Amino acid sequence: MADTKQAEEQPAAEARAGVTDKRAARHTARLAKEIRAFAATHGGSAEGQLAHIGRGRVRVALVGANGEWGNLVADSLASAKDAAAQAGLTLQDDFDGDLAARVRTGRYEWSRMAGIQVGGPAND
């Protein structure tokens, strides 16, 4: 009976793995589409940097050619790297130096930073 039970459980596990693989592929494709859209909207190109944010998740920080910036979250490092490759995103090792210098911050960001530190509006 143990042999039969293991044989029955194996296809179910493979089916779950197949569903997980399909879900990961869809997530990666959606992420690549969002990266391409960001680049198209912000000067035609973008660069990025990947950072682990916990529980297997990875932040994809994007900086457009026009200096606008944004973040996306990937389910895994592999997904983030694959999406970046599919979208033609140039990845940097660190978010400092040239990449950070290109980021253009606006009035909103400055007021939020000052507000948090100097007792400005609540962070709601």
Side-chain angles (χ1 to χ4, degrees):
M1 179 147 167
D3 292 336
T4 304
K5 188 173 183 180
Q6 287 176 350
E8 291 172 358
E9 290 176 0
Q10 181 111 11
E14 288 174 2
R16 283 191 302 271
V19 169
T20 303
D21 291 344
K22 288 178 184 177
R23 185 176 296 138
R26 283 194 311 268
H27 174 73
T28 299
R30 186 171 47 249
L31 196 61
K33 182 179 177 181
E34 291 173 350
I35 292 169
R36 283 191 297 272
F38 177 87
T41 303
H42 298 290
S45 67
E47 290 188 47
Q49 190 265 335
L50 305 179
H52 176 76
I53 57 175
R55 295 189 183 216
R57 299 277 181 131
V58 175
R59 176 184 70 133
V60 182
L62 301 167
V63 179
N66 65 356
E68 293 292 323
W69 59 278
N71 290 302
L72 297 170
V73 176
D75 290 338
S76 68
L77 182 59
S79 178
K81 286 182 177 181
D82 288 347
Q86 288 177 23
L89 182 69
T90 302
L91 292 175
Q92 302 296 328
D93 292 333
D94 296 309
F95 197 90
D96 61 3
D98 292 336
L99 186 61
R102 278 187 257 135
V103 172
R104 189 180 69 189
T105 55
R107 184 173 176 84
Y108 171 78
E109 287 86 6
W110 284 102
S111 68
R112 294 298 289 172
M113 287 186 275
I116 292 168
Q117 296 174 6
V118 186
N123 205 11
D124 295 345

